[in-house]
Amino acid sequence: MSSPLARWSVVTVSLALALTSCAKGTGGGTAAPSQSPGQFNPAATYQGTISVMGFGATDEIGSTRVAKAKAALGGADVKLIEGDLDIQQFLSAVAAGDPPDIIYANRDQIGTFASRGAIVPLTACVQGEQIDTSMYNKNALAQVTFGGEVWGIPEFNQVQITMANADLLKKAGLTVEDVNGSSWDKVTAATKKLYSAPGGKLKVIGYDSKLPEFLPLWAKANGADLLSADGRTAQLNSPAVVKALEFAVGVYDAQGGFAKVKAVRDAADFFGKGNQFATGALGAMPMEQWYVNVLNDVSPKAPLAFDTFRTPQGESLAYSSGSAWAIPKGSKNAGAACRFAKTMTLVETWKAAAQARLDKRNQEKKPFTGILTGNVKADAEIKGMLTSGGEPWDSGVKAFYEANDHTFSLPANPADAEFKKAWQDGVNRVLNGQDKPQSSLDRAQKEAQEALDKAWAGWTKRTN
């Protein structure tokens, strides 16, 4: 599934809530045992039908890869259960002993699925199918690896870059360097110059710091991690995280508050010609790289300026997120599922998909601006296939490839969904005026740590 909207919003707060409430007891209370590498054989062929939940081959990137994967199975058919992964439906199917053969999920869902016994470890799959894990983005792979096991096969990578309206910047006497994050004081000053609120009604957002979802990015830029490297200790109320939240919220306060910014944000035709950059309703924001492709497609003449998102030290930085393939407990054809995941993420598969995209873009007389696959070797090959769209698009593509070389991710843990909900709830309380940054993050810290402690204790009990 390569729809940017679907990839961007696979996990919302409501879905995280569904995961927490519906997953209890799923999997019978014991961790799925590791399978034997002998169950997976790169020379084997498969028959019948394998069911794939959460993925839709809705464009040439998806359909080309599914065709490759189907051919690699040697005869088995592939049934796609399209749309974003329905967590409640999935967990109910696992509990009933009738799960899909493979699922496509956000990487920050994998730890919780694993801790609930809803998916099986893939270490034997990787060994048996001889999957070269060195081809995957190291942060993407780390996000689905814990407890000494690989639990997902990563694909697609999302990173953030700075996107700005060049006309608004020029009119305000600014450049993209004023809004790329290299100086938080400059970002605040630029926000006040760029925003417009005639009669007190916000018409133009000066700067959107993209809360709540980008708190990890702002915190990391300030030298802080939301979670310890071993995935066991929440660090949500550390002084550096609190300061990052205060700054990012302050950007909204300077424009009349988050509610006003959100109203303008929500009113935009985000994926169409009436997007906020084309209509001059936004000065700048950090945003995932796939939006460069969207903007080039729907508003190629929009006055854009791009740069990487930068730390106060001027270094490029991006928060790595994306998708992964996982095999449910009770999958009736785990061997075929493993082969499917492997083939979907191979270098040659990605190159074939990129060629299909390139051919389509050439027919449309539009540039091929690339894709970030989660496979570093494929990314390097695809980068050589890019075609120039001129400026500012070439700068946008350059920025997101550079960002992809400077990523971090949150460590894998068995309370992924609960941890995410805790920090997002903490941010939302501040955005909604219900609490102050310090006290809200203190509460979030308590909730997150309790979830982590409970999940790790359960993990230890199951695996022992």
Side-chain angles (χ1 to χ4, degrees), residues 336-366:
C338 181
R339 175 75 57 77
F340 181 89
K342 170 188 175 181
T343 309
M344 290 289 283
T345 59
L346 287 174
V347 173
E348 51 264 36
T349 302
W350 280 118
K351 285 183 66 178
Q355 186 63 53
R357 172 64 58 85
L358 173 60
D359 292 343
K360 181 181 178 182
R361 298 295 282 180
N362 284 338
Q363 291 173 2
E364 297 172 342
K365 300 188 185 318
K366 295 178 179 179

Side-chain angles (χ1 to χ4, degrees), residues 433-452:
Q434 298 170 300
D435 209 344
K436 299 295 184 182
Q438 182 68 65
S439 56
S440 188
L441 289 181
D442 284 342
R443 175 179 167 184
Q445 170 70 19
K446 182 175 183 295
E447 293 169 348
Q449 193 59 55
E450 287 176 351
L452 288 167

Side-chain angles (χ1 to χ4, degrees), residues 66 135 172 455 461:
V66 168
M135 66 184 173
K461 182 177 180 180

Side-chain angles (χ1 to χ4, degrees), residues 31-368:
S34 295
Q35 297 162 335
S36 166
Q39 293 180 254
F40 304 95
N41 182 349
T45 58
Y46 300 95
Q47 302 300 317
T49 299
I50 73 163
S51 55
V52 182
M53 179 180 281
F55 184 88
T58 55
D59 62 11
E60 65 280 0
I61 298 293
S63 60
T64 300
R65 294 163 59 226
V66 168
K68 287 279 190 182
K70 184 176 179 180
L73 293 173
D77 194 14
V78 176
K79 178 186 176 182
L80 300 179
I81 305 171
E82 297 188 7
D84 292 351
L85 181 67
D86 186 320
I87 296 175
Q88 184 171 0
Q89 180 184 356
F90 165 59
L91 294 172
S92 296
V94 172
D98 188 29
D101 292 299
I102 190 169
I103 62 168
Y104 187 68
N106 245 31
R107 293 200 290 266
D108 61 9
Q109 291 174 313
I110 297 300
T112 299
F113 285 158
S115 71
R116 303 297 187 188
I119 59 176
V120 299
L122 300 184
T123 303
C125 157
V126 169
Q127 293 173 354
E129 274 285 347
Q130 299 173 14
I131 300 175
D132 178 13
T133 57
S134 70
M135 66 184 173
Y136 299 124
N137 179 289
K138 63 180 181 180
N139 286 316
L141 187 62
Q143 209 171 7
V144 294
T145 304
F146 71 98
E149 300 268 21
V150 175
W151 294 87
I153 301 298
E155 70 153 54
F156 282 116
N157 214 38
Q158 295 179 153
V159 299
Q160 306 77 31
I161 65 171
T162 299
M163 305 184 186
N165 184 303
D167 286 353
L168 292 179
L169 289 178
K170 184 177 180 180
K171 184 178 180 181
L174 302 169
T175 68
V176 72
E177 285 76 18
D178 293 302
V179 292
N180 66 6
S182 56
S183 168
W184 288 9
D185 288 341
K186 286 185 177 181
V187 170
T188 300
T191 300
K192 295 176 180 178
K193 290 182 178 180
L194 290 167
Y195 92 100
S196 175
K201 182 176 176 60
L202 187 64
K203 294 290 186 181
V204 178
I205 301 170
Y207 188 90
D208 188 347
S209 52
K210 294 304 299 294
L211 293 180
E213 60 267 34
F214 284 0
L215 177 64
L217 182 66
W218 290 109
K220 188 68 171 180
N222 203 35
D225 292 297
L226 302 189
L227 184 63
S228 63
D230 62 5
R232 293 178 178 272
T233 306
Q235 301 171 158
L236 301 181
N237 61 346
S238 71
V241 177
V242 174
K243 182 178 179 181
L245 179 57
E246 289 173 342
F247 163 74
V249 172
V251 167
Y252 295 135
D253 292 342
Q255 302 172 84
F258 178 70
K260 292 185 176 182
V261 172
K262 189 175 186 299
V264 177
R265 179 203 284 180
D266 292 347
D269 180 18
F270 196 78
F271 291 96
K273 295 180 180 179
N275 64 77
Q276 61 271 50
F277 287 120
T279 60
L282 172 64
M285 67 175 176
M287 182 60 196
E288 285 97 341
Q289 89 289 342
W290 51 258
Y291 199 46
V292 174
N293 300 339
V294 172
L295 292 171
N296 178 262
D297 196 40
V298 301
S299 52
K301 295 184 179 180
L304 274 298
F306 301 103
D307 192 9
T308 55
F309 176 88
R310 296 183 182 273
T311 69
Q313 291 73 41
E315 299 175 354
S316 298
L317 180 70
Y319 171 40
S320 172
S321 62
S323 310
W325 296 102
I327 299 178
K329 180 183 180 182
S331 170
K332 296 177 179 61
N333 206 338
C338 181
R339 175 75 57 77
F340 181 89
K342 170 188 175 181
T343 309
M344 290 289 283
T345 59
L346 287 174
V347 173
E348 51 264 36
T349 302
W350 280 118
K351 285 183 66 178
Q355 186 63 53
R357 172 64 58 85
L358 173 60
D359 292 343
K360 181 181 178 182
R361 298 295 282 180
N362 284 338
Q363 291 173 2
E364 297 172 342
K365 300 188 185 318
K366 295 178 179 179
F368 173 46

Side-chain angles (χ1 to χ4, degrees), residues 385-408:
M385 301 168 65
L386 304 180
T387 56
S388 175
E391 291 298 338
W393 308 107
D394 290 355
S395 292
V397 173
K398 179 182 177 182
F400 75 63
Y401 273 99
E402 180 179 343
N404 199 43
D405 291 331
H406 297 84
T407 61
F408 73 99

